[in-house]
Amino acid sequence: MPLKYKRVLLKLSGEALAGDKGFGIDYDVIRTISQSIQKCVALGAQIGIVVGGGNFFRGRSSDQIDRTRADHMGMLATVMNALALADGLEAQQVPVRVQTAITMQQIAEPYIRGRAIRHLEKGRVVIFGCGTGNPYFSTDTASSLRAAEIDADIILKATMVDGVYDRDPHKYEAAVRYDNVSFQEVLEKGLGVMDSTAAAMCRDNNIPVLVFSLSNPDNILAAISGEQIGTIVKEEKADE
Ligand code: UDP
């Protein structure tokens, strides 16, 4: 099966790694995601992964702690997920490296762009921990930043919903899913794709985002192969 996208940035939210538990890590989920990624790598895909941390801690949800400090805690949460995912990938014989935006050299490599690209070229998955390394940002923004830096063809945003809707599909039965939508519309209508900083960065750097559901982990393979799933967000509305 030929791949539509050769180099991708996969964004996995912390929530997705928690599975039905809603908190912490579900190792069955880690295993099924890792198996899907293994198939993609076997086909020659180069995969960088940004992991979220919301299954442990979100800085903006905490009103008890100073925001910057809370964000530091959130970034540390992403490292726990990065390490768990690295372990899951190694169990599937996938070569993997974790790089963190905040140095913790006993645990992971520091983020070095050139080295990350070299790993990708050698067929290693690179997991980017600590988001951007800065408070007040999100792992969505980290995804757009890393995607731009590694020159990814697309961001694959695996979520709990199967695409982008005109309104919240959990609240409104009549919600309609887009096949494709522009970043401008996402920003103007406040569609729940990613935060506005991340969306603007993708728009400005012309990085498409495919939003799809992880309810079937093989959707990662389907997405990379170019199957019609989810919603594609691009600068201009695509005709296809
Ligand atoms: N975070 C941060 N800077 C970043 C990325 C993440 O401060 O560049 C912190 C922030 O507190 C955030 C938490 O890490 O709430 C977890 O990331 P995020 O909420 O994006 O995770 P997700 O919702 O995707 O699981």
Side-chain angles (χ1 to χ4, degrees):
M1 193 179 1
L3 296 175
K4 175 155 186 188
Y5 306 110
K6 172 80 177 155
R7 183 176 291 173
V8 301
L9 191 295
L10 175 66
K11 161 72 203 293
L12 295 173
S13 68
E15 208 183 1
L17 301 181
D20 294 337
K21 294 198 297 179
F23 184 84
I25 294 169
D26 182 331
Y27 292 97
D28 287 336
V29 171
I30 294 268
R31 194 183 58 253
T32 50
I33 291 175
S34 299
Q35 286 166 342
S36 185
I37 292 172
Q38 190 275 332
K39 291 176 200 162
C40 300
V41 173
L43 290 169
Q46 298 183 1
I47 306 184
I49 304 175
V50 168
V51 279
N55 53 328
F56 288 116
F57 197 84
R58 275 201 186 93
R60 63 187 175 281
S61 312
S62 170
D63 51 7
Q64 307 283 327
I65 308 174
D66 168 73
R67 171 68 193 263
T68 299
R69 186 164 281 141
D71 280 341
H72 288 160
M73 291 169 68
M75 286 188 270
L76 292 175
T78 71
V79 181
M80 291 199 272
N81 287 330
L83 297 176
L85 184 59
D87 202 71
L89 285 166
E90 278 180 357
Q92 302 302 323
Q93 278 76 52
V94 178
V96 57
R97 298 289 186 273
V98 177
Q99 292 199 342
T100 54
I102 294 171
T103 332
M104 40 185 85
Q105 57 191 14
Q106 284 83 355
I107 293 179
E109 291 181 7
Y111 171 66
I112 298 172
R113 173 182 177 262
R115 189 181 275 193
I117 289 174
R118 191 88 186 97
H119 287 321
L120 293 171
E121 287 170 348
K122 287 189 167 174
R124 297 172 186 145
V125 170
V126 185
I127 306 176
F128 301 109
C130 289
T132 64
N134 299 294
Y136 293 95
F137 287 94
S138 67
T139 50
D140 278 345
T141 313
S143 306
S144 45
L145 177 62
R146 295 292 180 249
E149 287 182 283
I150 66 168
D151 201 19
D153 301 327
I154 192 165
I155 294 175
L156 302 179
K157 186 167 154 76
T159 68
M160 311 301 276
V161 275
D162 63 350
V164 182
Y165 285 77
D166 60 347
R167 63 206 121 147
D168 187 345
H170 295 303
K171 285 194 199 145
Y172 303 95
E173 251 180 49
V176 177
R177 183 163 66 85
Y178 297 96
D179 285 335
N180 55 72
V181 64
S182 70
F183 285 113
Q184 205 53 38
E185 253 182 289
V186 164
L187 287 163
E188 275 165 14
K189 295 184 181 163
L191 302 176
V193 181
M194 50 191 358
D195 58 74
S196 56
T197 314
M201 180 146 185
C202 288
R203 179 196 59 194
D204 296 349
N205 293 286
N206 216 358
I207 305 166
V209 180
L210 179 67
V211 182
F212 64 99
S213 165
L214 204 58
S215 58
N216 174 3
D218 268 333
N219 276 348
I220 298 172
L221 179 61
I224 265 190
S225 308
E227 280 178 36
Q228 290 285 325
I229 56 165
T231 300
I232 189 141
V233 191
K234 284 185 178 179
E235 184 32 35
E236 292 300 326
K237 268 193 182 186
D239 296 320
E240 340 117 72

